[in-house]
Amino acid sequence: MSIVVHKYGGTSVGTPEKIKNVAARIKKVRDLGNQVVVIVSAMGHTTDELIALMQKITPEPDPREYDMLISTGEQVSASLLAMALQSINCPAISLTGGQAGVQTEDIYRKARITHVHLERLQKELKTGKVVVITGFQGIDSKGDIITIGRGGSDTSAVAIAAALKADVCEIYTDVDGVYTTDPRIVKEARKLSFITYEEMLELASLGAQVLHLRAVECASIYGITIHLRSSEKEDQGTFIEEAKKMEKKEAVRGIALDENIAKIGVLKVPDKPGIAAKIFTALANEKINVDMIVQSIHSSGSLADMAFSVERPDLKQAVEVAKKVAKELKAENVVADDDVAKVSLVGIGMVSQPGTAAKMFETLSNEKINIQMIATSEIKISCVVKREAGKKAVQILHKAFGLDKVS
Ligand code: ADP
Ligand code: ASP
Ligand code: MG
């Protein structure tokens, strides 16, 4: 008897009809003699609606109450799915994250999962029931409900699969796999039959919303293959796993667009040792994540400009911190710009194929798209451009790198 772990995203359980279809699919798997654990997200846009509702009461809620509220969407879908299974004679039980033993750090809103206590889960599985678990949540050491970050149900599923020592975690969603880029932006985007953990980690961290970053991180640590596939078709989707063929041919495997960033410039800072340390330590102390950093020197040689990017929701706070440090450092000014987007190329083949960056810059310049910032690693190149040029940049790069012909 094997353990099968499925996760269904918001759209896949968005209506009563869809919940019934998911139930029929799960019953088939159970009838083959498998033990089945299912993790669900909230129906459709429920979580966004709960946040909108909250904002009518207060824009700055107590974090504990925020988690109490936004974790409720998953309880609705989990209980409805358990009922749908029971009504087609498939024994089932729904459990909250806490009831299923999902233990988290003591941090509201974005805790990490620290452990999954399996006793209850295994007890229910032994009785032959399908166990449906609310994604996106667990409990902390006080027994409070904690959420693990937007889009986190993917991570709940992989963590539970890892605890159960399942080989594969099947993530069902509204696309039939991971594509060379977001198919909503490029209609010629191609489905990849497999992608390495490393590439998927980069794509997810660079803005591809198809999988939660920490789900990929957890899968790679525990050696779990993620099979991302459509909840409406039977076809195979994309396998996210260890690199198999070491000789890769394409340099670029995927393109991501992140429109959730903003840029800050600290201008005319006296150029001496310790400046960068001061600015970025102050930001780190406030838990603000800084991504790209560019330092440029003025012709006088004694002044420098420092520009960096942050996540858009952190902009206001980051500007306040930067202004404080700028005053201490006697910098001339701090400027902020949220009219930007980041376009990134990803592929482990880049390591051995020079010229990818040059081709990216040339392609953008041919379309008169100005590059404001650049960051590279062995397997990615990111450029910050004006926000309105972001989608266009993805489209022309997708074509230039032949991703519309990938098989
Ligand atoms: P779920 O609700 O099932 O978790 P999400 O909305 O979080 O689903 O993720 C699926 C969406 O991710 C797709 O509808 C697609 O538009 C988007 N997406 C972004 N980048 C990619 C990509 N490279 N491949 C496939 N889908 C992508
Ligand atoms: N429902 C949560 C969200 O919308 C978690 C998830 O869907 O993964 O962020
Ligand atoms: Mg998702």
Side-chain angles (χ1 to χ4, degrees):
M1 191 183 285
S2 29
I3 291 208
V4 177
V5 179
H6 283 196
K7 179 257 171 179
Y8 291 88
T11 332
S12 310
V13 291
T15 63
E17 264 329 297
K18 288 189 176 181
I19 291 180
K20 286 184 194 167
N21 292 342
V22 165
R25 184 164 197 151
I26 294 167
K27 181 174 167 17
K28 268 198 226 155
V29 178
R30 180 191 173 269
D31 288 351
L32 292 171
N34 297 300
Q35 290 190 321
V36 188
V37 177
V38 182
I39 290 85
V40 284
S41 293
M43 291 172 73
H45 298 289
T46 304
T47 313
D48 291 330
E49 286 155 18
L50 288 168
I51 291 173
L53 184 64
M54 171 198 87
Q55 272 158 352
K56 290 191 179 143
I57 304 282
T58 171
E60 280 178 25
D62 172 60
R64 181 183 183 280
E65 302 312 325
Y66 173 90
D67 275 357
M68 271 298 267
L69 175 71
I70 67 160
S71 56
T72 58
E74 272 71 13
Q75 276 193 57
V76 174
S77 49
S79 50
L80 288 176
L81 180 56
M83 291 176 205
L85 284 161
Q86 289 163 358
S87 69
I88 52 172
N89 295 321
C90 178
I93 181 169
S94 65
L95 298 176
T96 62
Q99 288 170 333
V102 179
Q103 188 76 50
T104 70
E105 298 169 323
D106 291 10
I107 303 168
Y108 298 110
R109 287 170 176 241
K110 51 181 173 191
R112 286 180 168 264
I113 295 174
T114 50
H115 191 73
V116 182
H117 305 278
L118 289 175
E119 297 78 15
R120 175 80 189 267
L121 189 49
Q122 275 167 341
K123 194 174 123 219
E124 301 295 350
L125 284 172
K126 275 202 190 108
T127 66
K129 288 185 191 124
V130 169
V131 183
V132 185
I133 304 172
T134 55
F136 182 48
Q137 56 166 275
I139 50 164
D140 69 1
S141 64
K142 301 189 292 299
D144 277 351
I145 296 180
I146 298 283
T147 61
I148 63 168
R150 293 302 307 272
S153 297
D154 296 334
T155 301
S156 307
V158 175
I160 290 167
L164 289 167
K165 300 198 166 46
D167 296 328
V168 181
C169 178
E170 298 192 26
I171 298 197
Y172 289 86
T173 182
D174 60 354
V175 271
D176 52 5
V178 177
Y179 277 65
T180 47
T181 192
D182 189 340
R184 284 179 298 198
I185 301 177
V186 179
K187 63 175 188 321
E188 295 81 16
R190 300 291 296 255
K191 189 178 99 184
L192 299 165
S193 46
F194 86 96
I195 185 165
T196 65
Y197 292 129
E198 265 177 298
E199 290 168 327
M200 195 62 233
L201 273 173
E202 286 287 1
L203 281 176
S205 75
L206 293 167
Q209 278 164 16
V210 64
L211 263 178
H212 199 231
L213 175 64
R214 276 157 39 209
V216 190
E217 211 174 70
C218 185
S220 78
I221 292 170
Y222 291 94
I224 303 219
T225 298
I226 297 179
H227 183 188
L228 186 116
R229 56 197 301 203
S230 162
S231 55
E232 296 195 340
K233 296 187 205 154
E234 294 288 338
D235 312 359
Q236 277 198 352
T238 302
F239 291 92
I240 297 131
E241 56 195 358
E242 209 69 70
K244 279 202 183 124
K245 286 194 206 126
M246 293 316 295
E247 294 283 345
K248 291 253 10 84
K249 47 182 191 329
E250 309 97 354
V252 179
R253 295 265 291 156
I255 305 183
L257 175 67
D258 188 352
E259 295 184 314
N260 193 33
I261 68 156
K263 198 178 82 175
I264 295 178
V266 182
L267 308 182
K268 295 198 179 165
V269 201
D271 188 19
K272 46 182 192 219
I275 298 287
K278 272 228 164 69
I279 298 176
F280 296 111
T281 306
L283 291 161
N285 287 344
E286 296 299 320
K287 303 252 176 304
I288 297 169
N289 220 355
V290 172
D291 180 20
M292 300 162 95
I293 302 173
V294 174
Q295 183 178 344
S296 47
I297 308 295
H298 278 264
S299 50
S300 67
S302 60
L303 294 173
D305 288 342
M306 190 80 81
F308 53 92
S309 68
V310 294
E311 287 173 25
R312 190 182 298 240
D314 290 338
L315 179 62
K316 196 167 152 243
Q317 200 192 357
V319 168
E320 278 164 23
V321 174
K323 280 193 170 151
K324 227 163 133 195
V325 184
K327 208 167 160 193
E328 274 173 43
L329 298 175
K330 300 195 170 39
E332 191 180 284
N333 199 5
V334 172
V335 289
D337 180 3
D338 65 356
D339 192 23
V340 289
K342 181 173 65 180
V343 184
S344 309
L345 305 185
V346 171
I348 50 175
M350 274 184 209
V351 181
S352 58
Q353 295 189 34
T356 311
K359 184 167 171 182
M360 179 181 195
F361 306 152
E362 201 184 332
T363 308
L364 294 174
S365 109
N366 287 344
E367 284 293 324
K368 310 244 170 325
I369 296 176
N370 189 38
I371 302 170
Q372 304 181 12
M373 293 173 122
I374 299 169
T376 64
S377 78
E378 281 191 324
I379 70 162
K380 73 129 199 251
I381 308 167
S382 299
C383 292
V384 170
V385 299
K386 220 170 162 40
R387 195 169 153 82
E388 63 178 24
K391 288 198 173 71
K392 175 89 187 168
V394 173
Q395 286 155 355
I396 56 172
L397 290 166
H398 195 267
K399 191 147 199 279
F401 283 91
L403 292 179
D404 47 348
K405 299 191 181 69
V406 168
S407 54

